[in-house]
Amino acid sequence: MKRENLNIILSLLFIFGSLILFNLILRKLILRIDLTEDRIYTLSNSTKKILSELDDIVTVKAYFSKKLPPNLVPVRREVEDILEEYRTYSKGKLRFEFTDPAENKELEGKVTRMGIPKIQMNIFEKDKLQVIGGFLGIAIFYKDKREVIPVVESTENIEYEITSRLLKLAKKEEVKIGIMFLSKDKKDFYTIYKDQLSKHYSVREVSPNLIPEDINLLLVLGWKELDKMALYNIDQHIMKGKRCIFLIDPVNITEELQSRALREKDVEFFKNYGIKVDVNLVQDVSHEMAPFMQAGMAFLIPYPYWIKGIRKFFDKNSPIVNKLENVVFPWCSSIDTVSDVLKDKEITFLIKTTPQAWSTKSFYNLFPDPFAKPPEERKQFNISILVNGKFKSYFTSESLPPGVDTTKFLKETKEPVYLAFVSNLKFIEDRILNMYPENILFLLNLCDALGFGKELIEIRSRGKTERPIKNLSDWQKNLFKWGNTFGAAIIVIVLGTLRFVYRERKKLRKG
């Protein structure tokens, strides 16, 4: 009997020991099944690549309070799971720890000075709703540099938040964006985009009269007639191998639906870089509803001037747009390429209209007309183009501005340079971004691609756009309608009939 008891004890010890060993092995592995379309709960290949290229130890300190409201408890657990994945794929170069700053007053002060605030949270305790202070921030340390995520209230975008900061820490050259505002719109109409860019880049405004040397990505918002010196500064910025994004509005529309169009000669400058800007307005059968006021009443009406660019006509191979579902462009013009200039360049047509679009150069009546019919002649237009290659200066065929130091004049780029063109600016206006928040992803992806490279785009765009319900034909609608009405009854009748036939045959065989 004692021998049998000993065998049972040994067997139990073996089982427990095996389970412990199995658990230790699994801790080194990441086993997770992600069935979402964009695999939003799995670390992206971009993150894995960045982690594999770390050349020094990264320390992540998660400053999370132990006492949290029930709705935030899962956030802490999910952050810990995600950091465990980061640690695994970094092969030990990324280390993390969780600390509650409230346990140490000195640490609490240090964390606050880092930029991680003590936030107020509601919690039920002893049948009372109480307001407590707590921390939900993350600090990332790499060499002698530090980046901070002030508050983590959700893990929806946590991979982008962490990886973008890792990339920023590991990048030798800081990405500095210079914003050159040339639109006839009020600058106050455009604030949201700048707040978004400032989260991940060093951003400041620049003038066409002076572009600082440390600006390595120039974002030009709008366009207007510029003097030779201003054009020279932009041109030489490009000749130095610096990247540019141009959001051009050849026809600017006011709140009163008045048009302010540029002259053809005002946009001749872009032909030097292979882009022809059309001074027109494009309409499309794929469009959005726009709000209008009449007799003191607000109403929405289909408005072909508000083009809805859809995924079907985005470049399928470009990570800048291939994960976006749609982008809305209000009062958009068109652009095209100058083949002679771009014959040896890499060209990517990022966004096009549908083939059922049409253009007009008559801007006198922009009010919606529900009875207007599209013209017979329609075609596809380009909205955004990305070019990469070596360019010659605009001033190789133009006289230099007076007072320019000719010894510093650059006639061409030494290395290929990226230039991005979008024939619309309104898509990032605050009012439009509040209506269509997905629009900002397009601009951020452009900045990521030309600033950091393409690594971050894969992460940012995953699971972030809407999934519109596809329109059904009449016969499909009727199929679902009558199927829901009579389908269940028909299935019961068929199953009942089959069962009856089966039982009758069984009786006949027995008889």
Side-chain angles (χ1 to χ4, degrees):
M1 189 68 182
K2 290 182 178 179
R3 185 175 180 82
E4 290 179 0
N5 289 339
L6 181 62
N7 288 337
I8 292 172
I9 292 170
L10 289 174
S11 297
L12 290 172
L13 289 173
F14 176 76
I15 292 169
F16 282 122
S18 298
L19 289 173
I20 292 170
L21 180 62
F22 187 60
N23 186 51
L24 291 172
I25 293 171
L26 284 182
R27 284 189 66 186
K28 301 292 183 181
L29 302 173
I30 302 298
L31 299 176
R32 181 181 294 178
I33 299 174
D34 187 350
L35 300 178
T36 57
E37 180 185 354
D38 291 332
R39 299 183 66 80
I40 59 176
Y41 298 111
T42 304
L43 287 188
S44 67
N45 292 329
S46 295
T47 293
K48 294 173 186 176
K49 181 176 181 291
I50 291 166
L51 290 171
S52 68
E53 294 174 352
L54 290 174
D55 60 0
D56 207 341
I57 299 297
V58 174
T59 303
V60 179
K61 293 186 179 181
Y63 296 107
F64 277 56
S65 298
K66 290 180 180 177
K67 192 175 182 180
L68 293 171
N71 63 304
L72 292 177
V73 172
V75 174
R76 186 192 189 283
R77 185 170 60 248
E78 289 169 12
V79 169
E80 188 170 0
D81 290 342
I82 291 167
L83 289 176
E84 183 62 41
E85 287 196 54
Y86 271 84
R87 184 194 62 78
T88 300
Y89 285 112
S90 72
K91 298 180 180 178
K93 286 186 177 177
L94 184 141
R95 302 167 184 174
F96 70 91
E97 61 183 56
F98 277 79
T99 307
D100 184 358
E103 295 177 347
N104 185 320
K105 288 294 180 184
E106 185 179 342
L107 178 61
E108 185 174 324
K110 182 180 177 182
V111 169
T112 305
R113 288 191 295 273
M114 279 185 200
I116 299 176
K118 189 174 186 179
I119 60 174
Q120 291 187 337
M121 299 178 284
N122 296 326
I123 189 169
F124 276 99
E125 195 171 59
K126 297 178 181 180
D127 298 325
K128 290 183 180 179
L129 179 63
Q130 298 182 1
V131 179
I132 62 171
F135 292 88
L136 288 168
I138 295 175
I140 305 171
F141 300 88
Y142 179 73
K143 296 182 178 178
D144 59 344
K145 296 184 284 186
R146 179 187 71 214
E147 283 290 325
V148 169
I149 306 174
V151 181
V152 181
E153 293 182 300
S154 163
T155 56
E156 179 184 359
N157 205 29
I158 191 65
E159 183 186 356
Y160 182 84
E161 297 292 340
I162 295 174
T163 302
S164 63
R165 284 164 173 79
L166 279 177
L167 194 58
K168 189 175 180 181
L169 288 170
K171 199 172 180 69
K172 294 178 181 178
E173 182 186 18
E174 183 182 6
V175 178
K176 295 182 179 180
I177 298 181
I179 297 174
M180 186 182 291
F181 195 87
L182 302 178
S183 175
K184 295 177 182 177
D185 281 340
K186 293 179 181 178
K187 198 179 294 185
D188 294 344
F189 291 174
Y190 299 86
T191 60
I192 295 175
Y193 85 93
K194 193 173 181 181
D195 293 339
Q196 291 291 325
L197 287 177
S198 298
K199 291 180 180 179
H200 305 288
Y201 298 94
S202 172
V203 178
R204 69 181 187 270
E205 294 185 13
V206 299
S207 163
N209 297 319
L210 178 63
I211 304 174
E213 285 293 326
D214 62 338
I215 295 296
N216 41 32
L217 175 56
L218 183 64
L219 177 59
V220 180
L221 304 184
W223 196 251
K224 63 181 181 181
E225 181 184 4
L226 294 173
D227 60 36
K228 268 196 171 185
M229 195 65 214
L231 294 176
Y232 178 81
N233 290 332
I234 296 172
D235 172 81
Q236 290 299 287
H237 179 83
I238 296 171
M239 293 304 108
K240 292 171 186 174
K242 308 291 184 71
R243 294 141 288 177
C244 291
I245 299 172
F246 294 95
L247 309 186
I248 314 161
D249 54 349
V251 182
N252 181 271
I253 306 299
T254 68
E255 291 178 292
E256 295 79 25
L257 294 186
Q258 299 296 314
S259 63
R260 298 176 290 192
L262 295 174
R263 296 169 299 177
E264 295 285 349
K265 70 174 187 176
D266 295 335
V267 291
E268 287 288 315
F269 175 74
F270 297 105
K271 288 184 178 179
N272 184 72
Y273 313 102
I275 299 296
K276 178 182 179 294
V277 178
D278 298 316
V279 183
N280 63 2
L281 286 178
V282 178
Q283 300 177 72
D284 198 347
V285 294
S286 173
H287 55 261
E288 272 293 348
M289 308 277 282
F292 288 93
M293 294 289 293
Q294 187 172 0
M297 298 285 290
F299 61 97
L300 290 170
I301 191 168
Y303 193 51
Y305 283 109
W306 281 25
I307 295 172
K308 183 177 183 178
I310 54 178
R311 190 173 188 172
K312 182 179 180 181
F313 301 106
F314 295 171
D315 186 88
K316 293 177 174 59
N317 299 315
S318 172
I320 297 173
V321 292
N322 64 8
K323 292 290 173 59
L324 301 179
E325 205 65 41
N326 54 66
V327 184
V328 178
F329 298 98
W331 299 293
C332 184
S333 300
S334 62
I335 53 177
D336 211 339
T337 56
V338 181
S339 55
D340 291 345
V341 178
L342 298 178
K343 60 185 177 182
D344 57 344
K345 314 290 192 298
E346 178 188 343
I347 310 169
T348 306
F349 296 93
L350 294 174
I351 298 179
K352 296 183 178 185
T353 66
T354 73
Q356 299 298 312
W358 64 100
S359 68
T360 179
K361 292 197 174 186
S362 173
F363 319 128
Y364 302 109
N365 184 12
L366 298 176
F367 284 92
D369 182 358
F371 303 106
K373 292 184 179 179
E376 292 292 329
E377 186 178 343
R378 291 177 245 174
K379 67 174 187 176
Q380 193 168 42
F381 295 89
N382 301 309
I383 295 176
S384 179
I385 301 174
L386 176 69
V387 295
N388 179 34
K390 294 181 180 181
F391 294 91
K392 291 183 179 180
S393 170
Y394 173 74
F395 289 92
T396 54
S397 57
E398 295 282 337
S399 60
L400 292 173
V404 164
D405 185 349
T406 56
T407 61
K408 294 182 179 179
F409 170 57
L410 300 175
K411 294 183 179 180
E412 59 183 358
T413 57
K414 292 181 179 179
E415 299 294 334
V417 62
Y418 276 103
L419 303 176
F421 301 87
V422 184
S423 57
N424 188 250
L425 172 62
K426 292 276 189 187
F427 80 99
I428 59 164
E429 187 186 275
D430 289 355
R431 176 175 63 127
I432 302 301
L433 287 179
N434 286 325
M435 296 174 67
Y436 309 104
E438 298 86 3
N439 275 13
I440 193 63
L441 293 177
F442 176 45
L443 175 62
L444 295 178
N445 283 355
L446 277 173
C447 292
D448 283 349
L450 275 66
F452 282 122
K454 298 179 181 179
E455 289 93 343
L456 287 179
I457 302 171
E458 177 189 356
I459 310 168
R460 189 198 291 280
S461 302
R462 295 198 302 172
K464 298 298 289 184
T465 56
E466 63 178 48
R467 293 287 187 264
I469 298 173
K470 294 181 179 179
N471 292 325
L472 299 177
S473 61
D474 289 339
W475 74 266
Q476 288 174 319
K477 292 176 183 177
N478 288 329
L479 179 65
F480 282 107
K481 176 183 175 181
W482 298 116
N484 286 333
T485 305
F486 300 110
I490 292 171
I491 291 171
V492 171
I493 291 170
V494 171
L495 291 176
T497 303
L498 291 173
R499 181 175 174 78
F500 174 76
V501 171
Y502 172 75
R503 292 177 68 179
E504 288 299 312
R505 287 183 177 177
K506 195 173 181 181
K507 286 179 183 179
L508 288 173
R509 283 197 295 270
K510 286 183 179 180

